[in-house]
Amino acid sequence: MEKKLNKIEYVIKGQEARKITLDITYPETKKSLPVIVFVHGFKGFKDWGHFNWVANKFAENGFAFFKFNFSYNGITPDNLYELTDLDAFSENNYSKELKDLDLVLDFVIEQEEQLPINTKEIYIIGHSRGGGIAFLKSLEDKRIKKTVLWASLSDFESFFRNDTVKEWEENGVVMVENKRTKQLLPLKKQFYDDYISNKKTLDIRQQAKLFDKPLLIIHGDKDESVDISHAEFLYNTIQHSIFIRVEQGDHTFGAKHPFNEVEDVTEMLEELVENSVEFLLD
């Protein structure tokens, strides 16, 4: 018999009067459930592709699964499935995302009296750039007990190519193509400036030497967006980490947007969730 799942949508206050859209999926239960907070990546959002399917799968395995949109990711409460607020997108940066994640964790803690959740067991999963944000937040935040990285980068600076920096210097903005929609997304130079100003905090490779929490790294060997060397670096640096190399795995482990929960589920996605659940329940 399938478990009955509940889903609640929220809009909470983000930074500078902006809004963070957020939802929780959890099974009908009288027990207190361990919590997962999921962090999406660059050009991603909480309802992209398979993320709702993922939320259901974790809920079926006894977790309360929170996922959210960064306040500057280009998604608005009026349209959760397309990047429409390009002004916000252009003003996003790593520091803002870390602050948003902190606000989301605060909100999760506040829900303990209203929801069947155990806020002493908070885990975090990050995909792609969101993996880097999740990793840094895990390092500094005692509320997070375990960390899972899916196709995560391990070096923000490696994506600041010389030609990109030159274009920022000359024009103040770089246009980034959304390959799925062919939409051109503006990213202002403040993104690069923020990294340089906060490099000590945002340097994942240096911070990795201090990481002492349980860590699972899952990465495809055919990842076209974040090379598997990013995962190998973290695994080699953090001796207690667990690394699962996914043969023929791409950046989204076979998922796409939009996603059909009947036709588009692959064995690779099933194993991604199964391995993550096993690690978190261990």
Side-chain angles (χ1 to χ4, degrees):
M1 183 177 175
E2 291 188 2
K3 294 182 179 179
K4 180 184 176 183
L5 302 182
N6 297 316
K7 183 174 182 178
I8 306 174
E9 304 267 359
Y10 302 94
V11 179
I12 66 174
K13 288 183 179 180
Q15 303 167 72
E16 300 164 3
R18 295 199 59 80
K19 295 175 180 177
I20 296 172
T21 46
L22 181 150
D23 62 60
I24 176 178
T25 305
Y26 64 98
E28 194 75 47
T29 183
K30 294 181 180 179
K31 299 190 300 182
S32 291
L33 303 168
V35 173
I36 294 172
V37 175
F38 177 76
V39 187
H40 70 75
F42 183 53
K43 294 182 287 186
F45 42 92
K46 73 177 182 67
D47 296 292
W48 189 94
H50 58 311
F51 293 157
N52 286 306
W53 174 85
V54 164
N56 290 341
K57 284 295 178 182
F58 277 98
E60 289 168 3
N61 280 280
F63 294 92
F65 194 94
F66 285 88
K67 52 187 174 66
F68 69 100
N69 287 311
F70 287 115
S71 60
Y72 281 85
N73 76 337
I75 291 289
T76 69
D78 298 326
N79 189 341
L80 297 176
Y81 293 91
E82 297 294 340
L83 301 172
T84 56
D85 190 345
L86 301 190
D87 287 339
F89 186 93
S90 72
E91 296 286 355
N92 199 15
N93 59 51
Y94 300 128
S95 296
K96 287 176 179 174
E97 292 189 345
L98 282 168
K99 290 175 183 175
D100 276 348
L101 181 50
D102 194 54
L103 291 171
V104 168
L105 288 165
D106 289 344
F107 177 79
V108 170
I109 297 292
E110 292 168 1
Q111 301 314 300
E112 190 161 33
E113 293 185 4
Q114 287 78 37
L115 296 170
I117 59 175
N118 177 8
T119 58
K120 291 182 174 59
E121 292 296 330
I122 296 179
Y123 311 134
I124 195 164
I125 299 176
H127 175 250
S128 190
R129 183 170 113 181
I133 296 297
F135 182 86
L136 291 174
K137 189 61 183 169
S138 297
L139 185 70
E140 69 175 28
D141 198 316
K142 294 180 180 179
R143 295 175 293 187
I144 300 169
K145 305 304 180 187
K146 292 184 180 181
T147 306
V148 179
L149 304 180
W150 293 348
S152 175
L153 48 73
S154 65
D155 180 10
F156 288 144
E157 190 164 356
S158 66
F159 289 87
F160 294 127
R161 301 191 310 269
N162 288 338
D163 57 335
T164 304
V165 175
K166 184 180 178 182
E167 189 173 347
W168 267 320
E169 296 288 355
E170 293 177 352
N171 303 320
V173 65
V174 167
M175 304 305 291
V176 181
E177 184 183 31
N178 185 335
K179 292 181 181 179
R180 177 178 62 86
T181 64
K182 306 305 179 184
Q183 185 181 24
L184 291 177
L185 306 170
L187 197 54
K188 293 180 181 176
K189 183 174 175 285
Q190 61 80 30
F191 179 65
Y192 176 67
D193 293 339
D194 172 74
Y195 176 78
I196 296 301
S197 297
N198 298 284
K199 185 174 179 179
K200 184 176 181 181
T201 302
L202 297 172
D203 190 336
I204 298 172
R205 297 207 160 194
Q206 283 298 317
Q207 299 286 358
K209 300 172 184 178
L210 306 173
F211 198 87
D212 61 355
K213 294 179 181 177
L215 175 65
L216 172 64
I217 305 161
I218 304 180
H219 212 113
D221 63 1
K222 295 291 187 287
D223 191 324
E224 71 287 0
S225 298
V226 180
D227 190 79
I228 196 169
S229 60
H230 284 261
E232 292 167 341
F233 173 85
L234 290 175
Y235 177 60
N236 291 329
T237 303
I238 304 168
Q239 296 300 309
H240 65 275
S241 63
I242 300 169
F243 177 33
I244 297 176
R245 181 188 185 99
V246 180
E247 300 295 329
Q248 301 301 311
D250 63 5
H251 190 55
T252 58
F253 305 95
K256 59 185 180 180
H257 182 81
F259 183 81
N260 185 307
E261 294 192 6
V262 176
E263 299 176 358
D264 295 336
V265 176
T266 64
E267 183 178 346
M268 197 182 301
L269 284 174
E270 294 276 14
E271 290 179 354
L272 177 73
V273 173
E274 288 171 9
N275 287 324
S276 300
V277 166
E278 183 179 353
F279 168 76
L280 294 175
L281 290 178
D282 185 23

